Amino acid sequence: RRLISLYGLRVIALNPCRQADFIKRELESLAADVAAKAQVSADAAAAVVYTDPFMAVLMARSPQGKQEFPKDHINKRLTIYLGRMAQNPLLEMCVFTNFAGSDVEDKARMLKRLDLHRFQKALPSR
């Protein structure tokens, strides 16, 4: 409660695991309590979202991550990348793969293979 109110968290990223549903319900309840005590609407409570930490770990440990945040500890970089991945995973993948240069088509094919949304297979290939 203290951390949610102290930092004014709007989103809490959660790693999917076996106990994730229970943890998500508890965090949502906690965020609603904090919002109620702050006398704000329930819509202003922090949202709890699932995010896969795999890419965030890769980005935090990568030379790009170290170059972007050279003075920060890996845990801080990981937190930043988890937040970015929760907001826009495709954009972070494009940035991570340096989506430019002569091998753009290969990188585009790689991005199409990622499972980012449950309905992406419903889109036509062209």
Side-chain angles (χ1 to χ4, degrees):
R1 287 189 176 117
R2 186 175 63 83
L3 292 176
I4 293 173
S5 59
L6 178 68
Y7 292 107
L9 297 180
R10 304 291 301 140
V11 175
I12 300 171
L14 183 63
N15 181 12
C17 63
R18 278 184 271 167
Q19 299 88 7
D21 289 334
F22 170 75
I23 295 169
K24 183 176 185 203
R25 284 192 305 272
E26 290 295 313
L27 286 172
E28 287 171 338
S29 172
L30 190 70
D33 288 348
V34 169
K37 286 182 182 176
Q39 297 178 344
V40 295
S41 70
D43 295 337
V48 181
V49 297
Y50 292 118
T51 183
D52 186 3
F54 179 72
M55 280 307 302
V57 169
L58 285 179
M59 290 187 282
R61 292 182 176 176
S62 73
Q64 290 168 313
K66 291 175 185 173
Q67 182 180 2
E68 188 174 7
F69 303 102
K71 295 179 182 176
D72 294 324
H73 189 269
I74 188 162
N75 290 340
K76 186 172 183 179
R77 291 195 308 264
L78 179 59
T79 304
I80 291 167
Y81 287 118
L82 276 171
R84 287 182 180 177
M85 287 295 292
Q87 291 175 26
N88 194 338
L90 184 57
L91 176 63
E92 284 306 306
M93 283 299 303
C94 290
V95 169
F96 181 70
T97 58
N98 191 15
F99 209 77
S102 60
D103 56 345
V104 169
E105 288 182 21
D106 292 335
K107 291 178 182 178
R109 278 193 288 277
M110 180 192 75
L111 286 174
K112 287 180 184 177
R113 286 195 301 255
L114 293 175
D115 189 18
L116 297 173
H117 193 275
R118 62 186 172 148
F119 294 129
Q120 78 184 42
K121 303 284 190 259
L123 293 174
S125 60
R126 276 275 176 201

